[in-house]
Amino acid sequence: MIKHHECPSIQVDNGDAEQEERQQESDTRLDSNLTPAPTSFRPSSPAAVRFLQAELELNARLQMLSFGEMVRYIYNPIDYAWSMHRCYVETYCHGSQSVLFLGMNPGPFGMAQTGVPFGEVKAVRDWLRITGEVGRPAVEHPKRRITGLACTQSEVSGARFWGFFREVCGEPGNFFRHCFVHNLCPLVFMGESGKNLTPPELPAEKRDVLLVHCDATLCQVVAALGVSLVIGVGKVAEQRARRALAEAGISIRVEGIMHPSPRNPLANKGWASVVRAKLEELGVLSMLTK
């Protein structure tokens, strides 16, 4: 059952009073009771705390932005699915990982529903075993309702992504011993029809301001986790990570894998085999199969 919360939700145009109240709420979130994590995994680490704090600081900055007429709906699952998102981070982020897989932003049937990057419902529930409450955005598109783990529509990208690592690793701990997964941007953008809009599809000036904030947080996240390799999932995430980290003077290896989206014709012709070969080339596959 969906629990309804008075969670802050980013709006296209906000008043100053609303923005200040929401920023204060975001800044104090880490003082609340911790979300219980599955008992088979370690408790929250200092890296997880730093990671969550960086995300909340980004949320506070993004609440000040507007995105123009083409963006009619904005969902932020780190707000309304905070319980599940936090459970994911506290369960699997432990600061000794060397690889960060970086997506671009949440999909409407993945992280938008579960608060987990590439968070296809079955993968989150049955393999990652993440639990928690999911609220709703303040304003929902009638064709893009948030139903959390009750969502019956599978996100193909997430099913492919986590399905591949489930096959390779067997148990989640074998993956998260070395790797963590994060999205550059936490927001879902939609047009009037409910069509999903990725950050590159936003008006240039709006997109550039958005990504400057997201880039800064990526640099914080990389420093907090201490990873030595960032793997962009898709060309856009790879290129953005390489540029952001280089401009910040952070010397770190950046590579990329093909995005699993069904909108990518090549991904529909054997994404798993292409990614397996690339991860073997990068020296990551052997880490996951030990």
Side-chain angles (χ1 to χ4, degrees), residues 4-48:
H4 298 268
H5 302 284
E6 295 301 322
C7 292
S9 180
I10 292 178
Q11 302 295 311
V12 177
D13 292 297
N14 291 323
D16 291 342
E18 283 182 298
Q19 292 168 351
E20 183 176 355
E21 180 181 350
R22 286 171 179 166
Q23 181 166 351
Q24 289 171 349
E25 182 171 354
S26 288
D27 288 345
T28 59
R29 280 257 179 104
L30 283 179
D31 293 331
S32 62
N33 292 330
L34 297 181
T35 300
T39 56
S40 58
F41 298 101
R42 68 186 71 204
S44 180
S45 67

Side-chain angles (χ1 to χ4, degrees), residues 49-220:
V49 172
R50 291 193 296 270
F51 180 90
L52 289 170
Q53 188 62 52
E55 289 193 305
L56 293 179
E57 290 169 359
L58 176 61
N59 271 9
R61 296 195 301 272
L62 296 187
Q63 286 168 0
M64 308 299 177
L65 304 184
S66 62
F67 296 96
E69 286 298 314
M70 72 178 294
V71 178
R72 305 306 299 169
Y73 298 86
I74 302 175
Y75 292 3
N76 186 350
I78 294 180
D79 272 338
Y80 61 78
W82 171 252
S83 173
M84 289 192 64
H85 178 73
R86 187 169 186 171
C87 182
Y88 162 72
V89 174
E90 290 178 345
T91 301
Y92 292 119
C93 178
H94 50 74
S96 61
Q97 290 131 318
S98 58
V99 180
L100 178 67
F101 284 90
L102 183 71
M104 191 65 205
N105 74 310
F109 303 107
M111 185 172 178
Q113 301 290 337
T114 65
V116 176
F118 294 95
E120 192 262 348
V121 168
K122 290 182 180 178
V124 169
R125 182 187 62 217
D126 301 337
W127 194 56
L128 299 178
R129 299 189 291 277
I130 297 300
T131 60
E133 299 175 348
V134 179
R136 286 191 171 119
V139 181
E140 288 182 285
H141 191 283
K143 295 181 181 178
R144 294 291 182 266
R145 299 292 188 191
I146 298 302
T147 57
L149 293 178
C151 179
T152 58
Q153 184 156 346
S154 175
E155 182 184 73
V156 175
S157 295
R160 285 175 175 169
F161 183 87
W162 290 118
F164 171 79
F165 288 111
R166 182 174 189 170
E167 180 181 344
V168 169
C169 300
E171 289 297 321
N174 295 330
F175 174 80
F176 289 101
R177 183 177 302 117
H178 303 285
C179 307
F180 193 64
V181 185
H182 172 57
N183 277 329
L184 179 67
C185 174
L187 305 181
V188 182
F189 302 98
M190 287 175 280
E192 186 67 44
S193 68
K195 180 183 182 294
N196 188 49
L197 301 170
T198 62
E201 295 173 302
L202 301 179
E205 64 179 80
K206 304 293 185 182
R207 177 195 65 222
D208 291 346
V209 172
L210 166 71
L211 291 179
V212 163
H213 290 291
C214 296
D215 289 350
T217 297
L218 173 62
C219 294
Q220 287 181 274

